[in-house]
Amino acid sequence: MNWQGLLHHYREHLPVTDATPALTLHEGNTPLIYCGRLSEELGIKLYVKNEGANPTGSFKDRGMVMAVAKAKEEGSTAIMCASTGNTSASAAAYAARANLKCFVVIPEGKVAVGKLAQAVMYGAEIYSIEGNFDEALQMVRSVCSQLPITLVNSVNPYRLEGQKTAAFEICDQLGKAPDILALPVGNAGNISAYWKGFKEYHEHAQTGLPQMRGFEAEGSAAIVRNQVIEKPETIATAIRIGNPASWHLAVEAAEQSLGKIDEVTDNEILQAYKRLAKTEGIFAEPASCASLAGILKQLSTGEIPKGSTVAAVLTGNGLKDPDTAINSALMKPVLLPNNKAEAMEILGGVFS
Amino acid sequence: MNWQGLLHHYREHLPVTDATPALTLHEGNTPLIYCGRLSEELGIKLYVKNEGANPTGSFKDRGMVMAVAKAKEEGSTAIMCASTGNTSASAAAYAARANLKCFVVIPEGKVAVGKLAQAVMYGAEIYSIEGNFDEALQMVRSVCSQLPITLVNSVNPYRLEGQKTAAFEICDQLGKAPDILALPVGNAGNISAYWKGFKEYHEHAQTGLPQMRGFEAEGSAAIVRNQVIEKPETIATAIRIGNPASWHLAVEAAEQSLGKIDEVTDNEILQAYKRLAKTEGIFAEPASCASLAGILKQLSTGEIPKGSTVAAVLTGNGLKDPDTAINSALMKPVLLPNNKAEAMEILGGVFS
């Protein structure tokens, strides 16, 4: 039970050398939870990989621990990213742990401060730029090419190396790969990393290969539509990306695995989000629930056969997005009189 | 790595029978993280037990899985608690998982809806009562004594049984008990449960006994002052309790272990909260940081000797309290011109 993190546990599968610092916040080793009630309702064997249990509350920690450890190994004293969400939180946490500076660049006036509170708590310095998100990313790439600052956006190749460990863990936890791996698709790095991981582990230990089913949100379904979405819109902010960085790799993962990149609506995402919490007691970020929404959709179309073993990746913790929870929850309490007999009558009625 | 939860792993130490359902959200097995930077700064060996990694984001899951499993075993179809925070979230999640109803009773008009969003997401039904928190608890006890509803507030004895497993884990992770165990004290159930756990494990495996150092918030320091606090006030809402339910047990734990119940100010708590995040990349609920604040205080008084091995319990995830993070973080971004040369000059200055 004394888990020492990804760089330690999967060292032989990662670009870890004797010079790589033993950086960890004990990321990884996240639960693969069997969903008994949903499995029975749906006629499949459903597992969820609960990545919200990672140190900063999302799967990003897997790639970030690798990227930040390599930055430190290479003598960098600072890291930088353009991000408004889970990436910046993860970058800031590992930078703090590794005693590096962390700079986050955001488009001016387009980001609610609450989204950045976690990164700021970890000590990140926030810069805003007169421009849009793409311009922020361009600025970051340009700065990192000229100053001794390491870029940790997903173009950093160590990110995918770290992220692939989630596939290893699913194989270790199930004993083999599932029939189907369902996950949300935003920037498309994660589906690419999982596919890389499943292939490597199969070569290493004959664990089999799943069909990769990736789900974009309808309002930002660039890969499904085969076109860049200029103004992506979805409630699932963590996958609100109109021009995925790992587009080509995601298509390859779907094709090679006989899988599919599909889309789900915001309403389907929200329904899945609520159903998962109420039926299994698991509270994931809305974007995470694109995976379950996609499974429900493909069960109805017959694209997922009954009896399949399906693993759904829940990419982030539900606590990351309190606003959607508050807006989704009907929270008008029923008023009870402070009189035991009367209160008992009301509550007793619930059981009749 | 295939952790199957507390009832499975610590079965022989818990009131688990063949009739107890195998309930789990894979709670427990939380990281014990070595804080290298703080250890060096403070001259001790500091570990933190990161209970925010539990399924609903707090240590409450340890006791709740036990209490809800026993409720199910005994044929109950519903559970109930008076709570406005972590207890209600945990109760609701395990009730959903076990297919039981969950009722939460709160004092009318005294609870911000956001605090309940997590429990409502998990499907809890919320009732408010014309009265204060004590009256809500009295109502819950009265209702549960007359209807087939199981009370899961901390007076349910299975709660402490489950919670004691955190002490087992620390011993398993360190190889023995630490010299000092520091933790926040609110309702005082947790310090009581840890002490029970350390004693039982020592009897079982000669793991040694730590000194128990419990820290109340100054504005709700009932045990330290030896008087009920009628209107407890502290930013650390999770320990804002003026009349701890396990008062006697907490005093006993401190006395038997040659430890102490002490107090820390809100300012000390907030300083520790920020320092932990910025120095180690660990973001815990403010109340959690009463443990680190207490360690800092007792290092300055000499009550914690240099060189000690100290484990600090971080009871909840920082994401549980976004408001405090937003208010603590100085988030005015520095504006960069969208001009690479000028931006470079500003950022380059950071390195000079």
Side-chain angles (χ1 to χ4, degrees):
Chain A
M1 72 187 295
N2 211 347
W3 177 262
Q4 294 301 318
L6 293 175
L7 304 193
H8 176 81
H9 192 81
Y10 290 115
R11 180 187 170 104
E12 64 176 306
H13 300 280
L14 294 171
V16 174
T17 72
D18 290 344
T20 310
L23 183 66
T24 188
L25 284 165
H26 299 226
E27 61 292 322
N29 193 24
T30 58
L32 185 74
I33 305 177
Y34 181 64
C35 294
R37 293 182 64 193
L38 281 173
S39 290
E40 194 166 325
E41 288 171 22
L42 303 176
I44 57 176
K45 289 196 195 85
L46 178 66
Y47 294 83
V48 293
K49 182 69 172 161
N50 191 15
E51 290 288 278
N54 274 303
T56 77
S58 88
F59 75 99
K60 302 282 185 181
D61 294 337
R62 293 182 184 273
M64 203 55 78
V65 68
M66 188 77 250
V68 175
K70 295 306 278 189
K72 185 92 178 169
E73 177 179 344
E74 290 158 8
S76 185
T77 58
I79 62 173
M80 184 180 264
C81 63
S83 162
T84 61
N86 291 335
T87 299
S88 63
S90 185
Y94 284 94
R97 184 83 171 156
N99 202 6
L100 301 178
K101 280 180 184 295
C102 177
F103 301 105
V104 175
V105 180
I106 58 171
E108 200 208 345
K110 304 225 170 81
V111 178
V113 288
K115 295 291 286 180
L116 283 166
Q118 198 184 355
V120 177
M121 280 298 301
Y122 293 127
E125 291 178 32
I126 314 294
Y127 291 84
S128 68
I129 182 174
E130 296 161 331
N132 60 25
F133 187 82
D134 278 345
E135 288 171 297
L137 185 57
Q138 281 165 32
M139 174 64 78
V140 164
R141 296 183 79 144
S142 171
V143 166
C144 290
S145 70
Q146 292 178 49
L147 291 175
I149 304 178
T150 302
L151 176 69
V152 296
N153 275 103
S154 62
V155 293
N156 180 317
Y158 296 119
R159 292 274 307 279
L160 291 201
E161 288 298 312
Q163 278 173 225
K164 75 184 181 190
T165 57
F168 301 168
E169 287 183 13
I170 290 176
C171 293
D172 287 339
Q173 290 168 317
L174 270 183
K176 61 185 171 82
D179 300 327
I180 291 167
L181 192 282
L183 79 179
V185 172
N187 216 15
N190 211 24
I191 189 171
S192 312
Y194 267 92
W195 182 236
K196 186 174 198 294
F198 281 119
K199 285 191 295 185
E200 288 183 13
Y201 228 48
H202 180 57
E203 199 156 306
H204 163 70
Q206 293 73 54
T207 37
L209 294 171
Q211 289 183 19
M212 303 295 291
R213 308 285 177 106
F215 299 96
E216 296 182 296
E218 186 185 38
S220 60
I223 301 176
V224 171
R225 308 295 169 83
N226 198 26
Q227 62 179 47
V228 172
I229 311 289
E230 294 296 341
K231 293 192 176 159
E233 270 311 328
T234 168
I235 191 160
T237 51
I239 55 171
R240 191 174 59 198
I241 291 165
N243 190 8
S246 302
W247 188 319
H248 172 70
L249 287 174
V251 171
E252 196 176 275
E255 285 178 355
Q256 288 184 356
S257 72
L258 309 176
K260 185 180 182 184
I261 311 288
D262 202 346
E263 63 184 328
V264 286
T265 66
D266 275 11
N267 186 46
E268 289 169 330
I269 289 170
L270 284 175
Q271 291 304 318
Y273 169 71
K274 292 187 225 178
R275 185 169 176 182
L276 182 64
K278 287 192 205 315
T279 312
E280 298 288 352
I282 297 166
F283 178 40
E285 226 183 357
S288 298
C289 300
S291 56
L292 178 58
I295 291 167
L296 296 172
K297 177 182 177 179
Q298 294 192 346
L299 277 166
S300 74
T301 61
E303 290 167 284
I304 293 180
K306 295 276 176 184
S308 303
T309 296
V310 182
V313 180
L314 304 176
T315 43
N317 196 309
L319 295 171
K320 285 271 197 169
D321 187 352
D323 293 341
T324 301
I326 290 168
N327 294 334
S328 300
L330 294 171
M331 284 197 298
K332 186 77 192 136
V334 176
L335 183 61
L336 287 182
N338 192 355
N339 170 306
K340 281 168 196 165
E342 288 177 47
M344 214 73 79
E345 201 166 320
I346 292 171
L347 288 167
V350 177
F351 288 88
S352 64
Chain B
M1 74 187 295
N2 210 347
W3 177 262
Q4 294 301 318
L6 293 176
L7 304 194
H8 177 81
H9 192 81
Y10 290 116
R11 181 187 169 102
E12 63 175 307
H13 299 280
L14 294 171
V16 174
T17 71
D18 290 344
T20 310
L23 183 66
T24 189
L25 283 165
H26 299 225
E27 61 293 322
N29 195 23
T30 57
L32 184 74
I33 306 178
Y34 181 65
C35 294
R37 294 182 65 194
L38 282 174
S39 289
E40 196 166 323
E41 288 171 24
L42 303 178
I44 57 175
K45 291 197 194 83
L46 178 66
Y47 294 83
V48 292
K49 181 69 172 162
N50 191 14
E51 290 288 279
N54 275 302
T56 77
S58 88
F59 76 97
K60 301 282 185 181
D61 294 337
R62 294 182 183 274
M64 204 55 78
V65 68
M66 189 75 250
V68 175
K70 294 306 278 189
K72 186 92 176 168
E73 178 180 343
E74 291 159 6
S76 186
T77 58
I79 62 172
M80 183 179 265
C81 63
S83 163
T84 61
N86 292 336
T87 298
S88 63
S90 186
Y94 284 94
R97 184 83 171 155
N99 202 6
L100 301 178
K101 280 181 184 292
C102 178
F103 302 104
V104 174
V105 180
I106 57 171
E108 200 209 344
K110 304 221 171 85
V111 179
V113 289
K115 295 291 287 179
L116 282 167
Q118 197 184 357
V120 177
M121 280 297 302
Y122 293 127
E125 292 179 31
I126 314 294
Y127 292 83
S128 68
I129 182 175
E130 296 162 330
N132 61 25
F133 187 82
D134 278 345
E135 288 170 298
L137 185 58
Q138 280 166 33
M139 174 65 79
V140 163
R141 296 182 79 143
S142 170
V143 166
C144 290
S145 70
Q146 291 180 47
L147 291 174
I149 305 179
T150 302
L151 176 69
V152 296
N153 275 103
S154 61
V155 292
N156 180 317
Y158 296 119
R159 292 274 307 279
L160 291 201
E161 288 298 312
Q163 278 174 225
K164 75 184 179 189
T165 58
F168 300 168
E169 287 183 13
I170 290 176
C171 293
D172 286 340
Q173 290 168 318
L174 270 184
K176 62 186 170 86
D179 300 328
I180 290 168
L181 192 283
L183 79 177
V185 172
N187 217 15
N190 212 24
I191 189 172
S192 312
Y194 268 92
W195 182 236
K196 187 174 197 294
F198 281 120
K199 285 191 296 184
E200 287 183 14
Y201 228 48
H202 181 56
E203 200 156 305
H204 164 71
Q206 292 74 53
T207 38
L209 294 171
Q211 289 182 18
M212 304 295 292
R213 307 284 178 107
F215 298 96
E216 296 183 295
E218 186 186 37
S220 59
I223 301 176
V224 170
R225 309 295 169 84
N226 198 26
Q227 62 179 45
V228 171
I229 311 289
E230 292 296 341
K231 292 191 177 163
E233 270 313 327
T234 168
I235 193 161
T237 51
I239 54 169
R240 190 173 60 198
I241 290 166
N243 190 8
S246 300
W247 189 317
H248 172 70
L249 287 173
V251 170
E252 196 176 274
E255 285 179 355
Q256 289 184 355
S257 73
L258 310 176
K260 185 179 181 184
I261 311 289
D262 201 346
E263 64 184 328
V264 286
T265 67
D266 275 10
N267 186 47
E268 289 169 330
I269 290 171
L270 284 174
Q271 292 305 318
Y273 169 71
K274 293 187 223 176
R275 185 169 177 181
L276 181 66
K278 286 191 204 317
T279 313
E280 298 288 352
I282 298 166
F283 178 39
E285 225 185 358
S288 298
C289 301
S291 57
L292 178 58
I295 291 166
L296 297 172
K297 177 180 176 180
Q298 295 192 345
L299 278 166
S300 73
T301 60
E303 290 167 284
I304 294 181
K306 295 275 178 186
S308 304
T309 296
V310 182
V313 180
L314 303 176
T315 43
N317 197 309
L319 295 170
K320 286 270 197 170
D321 187 352
D323 293 341
T324 301
I326 291 168
N327 293 335
S328 300
L330 293 170
M331 283 197 297
K332 186 78 193 135
V334 176
L335 183 62
L336 287 181
N338 193 355
N339 170 305
K340 281 168 196 166
E342 289 177 48
M344 215 73 79
E345 201 166 319
I346 291 171
L347 287 168
V350 176
F351 289 88
S352 61

